[in-house]
Amino acid sequence: MHIQWYPGHMTKAKRQMQEDMKLIDLVIELVDARIPRSSRNPDIDELGKNKARLILLNKADLANEACNEAWSTHFKERGFLVLKIDSRNRGNMKAVSALIAKAAEEKRERDRKRGILNRPVRAMVVGIPNVGKSTFINTYVGKAGAKVGNKPGVTKGKQWIRLNKGVELLDTPGILWPKFEDEIVGRNLALIGSVKDEILNREELALELLAFLKEKCAGELSARYGIAEEQEPITLLFEIAKSRNCLKQGGAFDEEKATKLLLEEFRGGKLGRISLERPIQS
Ligand SMILES: Nc1nc2c(ncn2[C@@H]2O[C@H](COP(=O)(O)OP(=O)(O)OP(=O)(O)O)[C@@H](O)[C@H]2O)c(=O)[nH]1
Ligand SMILES: [Mg+2]
């Protein structure tokens, strides 16, 4: 499935991020724990190459726990400071603070040598659309300062959130990249809801999800919808429409409604904690 979504505000946002890199000490990169590979913007490594780096595996509550562990190890082995979190949960934020402090040690040392005391750590929060950047900032800060919404493209411009914890956070709009090298990356981003739904062929996406679930997560579809899994994706979709009584006017089964329902339930974790990617064994 060929998917591409790079609206104008993302080009602008990327330019702005490049500009703001000069002002910050640390890049906090949120990736989606269900697709840590596909949700890493390749531009970030280049943009943040001389900065301290932190990776948060966000929405870890929606991803498979064994995969979360494997991904944490994967990124740690590559020299990143990593934490898996549910950004809506305040209880996770103490560990984040500790990690930010660790990431900023070098900066503080540099400051000390130059006689600067207590200059706050400035961090830019980056990541793909809808990954939870604004939610993370609000929970970390303890109040709703940044606008949040369950669709991609909610944050349109940058916004500094100043804290009295010695940290300043910069919220940024989620950005994608002009071309996905791999079609699977586009598919994965669409499945978790980081691509605007209006540009997608949703039924095709649902069929790809069904094929994936049937193969990699045996039992989940039958547990949720009471259907036999050994059927073609298109039949599975029809079976879901049947089991959930998705009907058109006149009584025919409505695949479009079933598509919507399936994608929403997957995105909301109703089908269980499902990771779409595992680290490649090296
Ligand atoms: N289950 C779960 N949902 C989360 C988590 N973090 C954020 N969300 C939800 O994800 C949706 C998107 O959150 P936002 O904070 O607006 O995402 P964003 O990265 O700022 O998005 P843009 O501004 O569009 O780039 C909201 O519905 C949040 O409630 C998490 O850790 N777990
Ligand atoms: Mg936002």
Side-chain angles (χ1 to χ4, degrees):
M1 173 183 256
H2 185 74
I3 295 170
Q4 219 60 68
W5 185 48
Y6 198 63
H9 82 264
M10 291 191 193
T11 318
K12 216 173 117 199
K14 189 179 158 193
R15 224 176 295 127
Q16 186 68 53
M17 277 165 69
Q18 228 157 352
E19 206 36 47
D20 291 333
M21 277 291 171
K22 295 175 201 146
L23 308 173
I24 60 137
D25 309 298
L26 167 68
V27 177
I28 301 179
E29 180 183 1
L30 267 70
V31 301
D32 189 296
R34 293 165 294 177
I35 53 164
R37 185 179 311 111
S38 296
S39 60
R40 289 204 67 210
N41 186 331
D43 294 338
I44 303 291
D45 279 336
E46 180 55 32
L47 281 173
K49 63 178 181 247
N50 298 317
K51 302 292 170 180
R53 302 284 299 275
L54 202 67
I55 290 188
L56 300 178
L57 291 167
N58 196 39
K59 306 198 184 185
D61 56 298
L62 297 176
N64 175 282
E65 193 50 29
C67 288
N68 289 343
E69 279 304 319
W71 279 111
S72 296
T73 308
H74 171 91
F75 287 122
K76 278 178 194 159
E77 283 171 358
R78 279 152 188 80
F80 290 99
L81 293 167
V82 191
L83 209 59
K84 51 180 184 203
I85 58 166
D86 170 353
S87 268
R88 299 162 312 167
N89 183 348
R90 184 125 181 81
N92 290 172
M93 296 301 146
K94 220 172 148 184
V96 176
S97 286
L99 214 61
I100 291 178
K102 196 166 169 197
E105 262 165 23
E106 256 182 52
K107 167 227 175 275
R108 228 175 286 112
E109 190 51 36
R110 265 197 319 271
D111 278 0
R112 223 181 344 257
K113 281 188 184 142
R114 287 151 68 195
I116 304 167
L117 290 177
N118 300 327
R119 191 172 65 85
V121 177
R122 289 181 152 176
M124 186 191 280
V125 179
V126 303
I128 56 165
N130 206 33
V131 70
K133 298 173 294 298
S134 301
T135 304
F136 162 70
I137 289 176
N138 289 342
T139 307
Y140 190 77
V141 176
K143 63 173 189 234
K147 194 173 163 202
V148 166
N150 194 10
K151 58 176 190 180
V154 171
T155 306
K156 291 280 194 313
K158 65 167 185 169
Q159 184 184 6
W160 276 106
I161 313 278
R162 292 173 207 281
L163 307 184
N164 46 13
K165 294 185 193 172
V167 181
E168 294 180 1
L169 296 175
L170 180 61
D171 193 9
T172 63
I175 59 168
L176 293 168
W177 39 108
K179 187 171 166 16
F180 303 134
E181 295 297 333
D182 180 349
E183 283 194 21
I184 297 287
V185 170
R187 181 204 77 177
N188 286 344
L189 290 164
L191 279 175
I192 62 155
S194 285
V195 176
K196 195 162 117 173
D197 256 351
E198 288 80 347
I199 69 147
L200 297 173
N201 180 337
R202 288 156 60 98
E203 186 166 326
E204 199 183 330
L205 190 63
L207 294 177
E208 293 204 20
L209 176 62
L210 288 168
F212 175 90
L213 292 172
K214 182 180 138 180
E215 193 194 327
K216 306 276 190 200
C217 308
E220 301 283 2
L221 286 169
S222 67
R224 180 78 188 165
Y225 303 109
I227 56 177
E229 292 183 357
E230 284 318 306
Q231 313 186 66
E232 289 304 306
I234 187 72
T235 317
L236 289 171
L237 190 62
F238 184 75
E239 292 288 322
I240 291 173
K242 216 153 88 180
S243 96
R244 286 306 179 84
N245 223 10
C246 300
L247 300 174
K248 287 182 195 159
Q249 262 181 354
F253 288 114
D254 189 338
E255 277 94 345
E256 212 176 301
K257 264 192 203 148
T259 292
K260 189 160 178 277
L261 179 124
L262 175 70
L263 291 176
E264 268 169 19
E265 295 203 341
F266 169 72
R267 287 172 183 167
K270 301 272 175 24
L271 299 176
R273 297 178 62 177
I274 295 170
S275 295
L276 296 173
E277 288 179 333
R278 290 166 189 279
I280 295 161
Q281 303 298 331
S282 51

